[in-house]
Amino acid sequence: MKTLSASTEELTEPLPSKELLTSLTTDSPPKISPQATRTSLKASTIDGVFATIFSNITTGVILINFLLQLGATPVEIGLLSSIPMLANFLQPVGAYFADRTTSRHWYTLAIFGPSRLLWLILVAGIAWFCHYHTPPHQLVIWTLGIVVVTNILGGLGGCAWFSWMAALVPPRLRGRYFGFRNSAASLANLLSVPLLGFAVSAWPGGAIPGFGVLLLLGVVIGLISLACQFWMVDVNPQVYRFGKTAHQNSENAEPPQVNTFSILKDFNFLKFLVYFGLWTFAVNLSAPFFNLYMLKNLGLDLSTVTLYSSLIAGANLVMLVLWGKLADKIGNRPILLLVGFLIAVTPLFWLGTGNDFISVWVWLPLIHIVWGGFGAAIDLCNSNIQMEMASLESPSQYFAIAAAVTGVTGGLGSTVGGFLAELDIIGGLPGLFALSAIMRLMALLPLIFVKEPRSKSFSDLLEKILPWKPKSDLVSAEKIAA
């Protein structure tokens, strides 16, 4: 693996364009060669594919079905979704430690390696359950405990990985690259989720031992994912944050400390946090319970539900590259506002569903296609706009604070949703879906006041949407104004 430092040959190579040349100062972070960048991004994409397969086994509908087979309650399903969110509250702590290391790669490997190996404990627990026929609810507690520990470790490493990618991906290419990377992950989703669901359903010994075998395979795939990172250029956060001068004098002077409270004086960033926190709460109020609604309320089998998950992945695959290119042209904020309105009202579409033929084979597939195709824009642009707003001096702190806020609000959303789902006063899960739609629409209001440096105005956005508008009229209007 190459390590990014001030002494490498990559730092002496000329910049590829005048635009980048004018932006380079003596205090700018070291530059990575184009070839090293291409190799790193290819490795990161392969890493994302394997990580997606691992996540499909350890999260989502496969794990929810496993817990339902053990008799888990809606509250426990809500906890399953809220634990990863709440663990993000530790990301500022992770940023503190990660920014004081000299390697992004070895820090993330030390965090995510043990995190993925811990799932072997659950494999052993499933084998114990199948052999000695222990109470099934005990295995639910085991699963939630492992989810807690692995997500605590993930919370300590998430911002380090985010900062690593922010250093490797050129700003002008972030929309297109992450759109392509997420498309590759969506393709892995499209192919793996139905196969995993079918394997669990058709396993001769039953769904529980079948999940145990898949989980063992998932741990191996997760380790292969981490191995791909050895082909990515390592980044020394000390050099990246403080430039060449600080690196050359690192033995004689201590690096300046980043004051987290100064970040909170960035009012534009605070407005984004208000939007991001409210949006995450509103989404997680209902999102963890869509699969529960189909498996329990509608009585659909696992293979059908995983087929819907494949539709989400397929829609992601088709639309992500388009959203990435559009985000590079007009910015992330306009897309978040326009697409956010459609995603906000999506929970209302579930109110007319049932287990009849039209619902199962027309309405529910259409909901998942809309959810996957347009939800891809929300995920992509929410990530990219954070990279746009974060400063070069302390990107990890920005990412960590955003992750902590959304972790708390998302965890609260899942937990509150789990309790509300059991109350008849709101009508159960359908009432919860309606409440989530209202909260999502309210969450979009703070985004109106957020400023993004590369964001286009609403009039420019209309020109992109309405390409048939005569350009000659615009030119003549400019001349008249002049």
Side-chain angles (χ1 to χ4, degrees):
M1 176 193 296
K2 296 183 180 180
T3 301
L4 184 60
S5 64
S7 59
T8 56
E9 295 180 358
E10 284 85 359
L11 301 182
T12 60
E13 294 187 5
L15 289 170
S17 66
K18 291 183 178 180
E19 180 181 359
L20 290 179
L21 185 61
T22 57
S23 65
L24 181 66
T25 64
T26 57
D27 295 328
S28 62
K31 180 180 138 340
I32 307 173
S33 69
Q35 181 59 42
T37 299
R38 285 191 292 268
T39 302
S40 299
L41 298 188
K42 289 179 181 178
S44 176
T45 301
I46 300 173
D47 168 27
V49 169
F50 284 106
T52 298
I53 300 175
F54 169 78
S55 297
N56 286 337
I57 298 174
T58 56
T59 60
V61 64
I62 305 294
L63 186 59
I64 290 176
N65 180 75
F66 169 69
L67 293 181
L68 289 177
Q69 294 290 328
L70 297 173
T73 65
V75 173
E76 289 168 333
I77 299 297
L79 287 175
L80 179 67
S81 301
S82 64
I83 288 170
M85 294 289 181
L86 293 173
N88 282 332
F89 191 70
L90 295 173
Q91 291 227 22
V93 179
Y96 176 85
F97 289 113
D99 285 347
R100 280 152 183 78
T101 64
T102 57
S103 170
R104 292 292 189 201
H105 173 253
W106 290 108
Y107 180 82
T108 56
L109 185 63
I111 292 294
F112 291 106
S115 173
R116 296 181 179 181
L117 287 173
L118 280 173
W119 285 99
L120 293 176
I121 298 176
L122 183 57
V123 175
I126 294 173
W128 181 276
F129 168 81
C130 295
H131 189 269
Y132 292 100
H133 303 287
T134 56
H137 195 264
Q138 183 176 351
L139 202 54
V140 174
I141 302 301
W142 277 43
T143 304
L144 293 178
I146 292 174
V147 169
V148 169
V149 177
T150 56
N151 280 280
I152 286 175
L153 291 174
L156 295 175
C159 60
W161 182 88
F162 213 153
S163 300
W164 191 8
M165 294 306 299
L168 292 179
V169 184
R172 68 187 185 281
L173 298 178
R174 283 173 183 164
R176 277 170 282 182
Y177 171 70
F178 285 110
F180 174 78
R181 186 182 189 274
N182 292 350
S183 293
S186 296
L187 179 60
N189 255 328
L190 179 66
L191 299 177
S192 66
V193 172
L195 293 177
L196 294 173
F198 177 78
V200 171
S201 300
W203 193 261
I208 294 177
F211 176 78
V213 174
L214 284 184
L215 185 58
L216 178 61
L217 175 64
V219 172
V220 175
I221 293 175
L223 296 179
I224 295 175
S225 165
L226 293 177
C228 294
Q229 297 180 2
F230 282 93
W231 280 268
M232 296 168 58
V233 173
D234 196 4
V235 170
N236 184 342
Q238 308 305 323
V239 177
Y240 187 79
R241 289 170 60 198
F242 308 118
K244 298 178 184 178
T245 305
H247 175 71
Q248 293 169 352
N249 300 328
S250 59
E251 297 181 356
N252 301 323
E254 296 182 357
Q257 301 297 318
V258 177
N259 186 1
T260 303
F261 293 101
S262 64
I263 299 177
L264 298 180
K265 296 179 181 178
D266 187 343
F267 294 108
N268 190 48
F269 181 64
L270 290 180
K271 288 183 285 187
F272 172 76
L273 287 182
V274 173
Y275 148 73
F276 205 18
L278 291 175
W279 177 262
T280 307
F281 176 86
V283 168
N284 283 274
L285 197 63
S286 61
F289 306 101
F290 292 140
N291 288 328
L292 175 63
Y293 181 74
M294 290 184 291
L295 290 170
K296 191 173 182 179
N297 292 51
L298 301 184
L300 303 180
D301 57 80
L302 179 61
S303 59
T304 304
V305 176
T306 53
L307 177 62
Y308 296 151
S309 299
S310 297
L311 292 178
I312 295 177
N316 266 267
L317 177 65
V318 172
M319 297 297 294
L320 266 171
V321 175
L322 173 63
W323 293 126
K325 292 180 179 179
L326 188 61
D328 287 337
K329 290 181 179 179
I330 67 174
N332 301 284
R333 177 178 163 274
I335 298 177
L336 288 173
L337 284 171
L338 292 176
V339 178
F341 178 81
L342 177 60
I343 297 299
V345 299
T346 301
L348 298 178
F349 299 163
W350 289 82
L351 301 183
T353 59
N355 55 6
D356 56 280
F357 181 84
I358 297 298
S359 294
V360 173
W361 298 111
V362 178
W363 192 236
L364 284 173
L366 181 61
I367 292 174
H368 284 81
I369 291 174
V370 171
W371 183 6
F374 290 89
I378 301 295
D379 296 336
L380 177 68
C381 293
N382 274 333
S383 298
N384 287 348
I385 197 172
Q386 291 182 61
M387 292 187 181
E388 293 289 337
M389 301 177 72
S391 66
L392 279 177
E393 292 77 15
S394 55
S396 296
Q397 297 291 335
Y398 275 80
F399 303 147
I401 292 174
V405 170
T406 56
V408 173
T409 55
L412 287 176
S414 299
T415 304
V416 171
F419 283 103
L420 291 179
E422 295 187 332
L423 298 179
D424 294 332
I425 191 173
I426 67 168
L429 288 177
L432 183 66
F433 297 163
L435 178 62
S436 174
I438 297 173
M439 294 292 295
R440 293 184 190 194
L441 291 173
M442 295 175 61
L444 291 175
L445 295 178
L447 185 60
I448 298 175
F449 304 99
V450 174
K451 296 180 180 179
E452 182 187 6
R454 298 189 305 108
S455 177
K456 298 292 184 181
S457 64
F458 189 72
S459 59
D460 293 335
L461 182 61
L462 287 179
E463 293 179 17
K464 298 290 183 180
I465 298 175
L466 305 175
W468 60 82
K469 186 173 182 178
K471 293 185 178 181
S472 58
D473 293 345
L474 297 177
V475 174
S476 60
E478 291 177 359
K479 292 181 179 179
I480 294 173

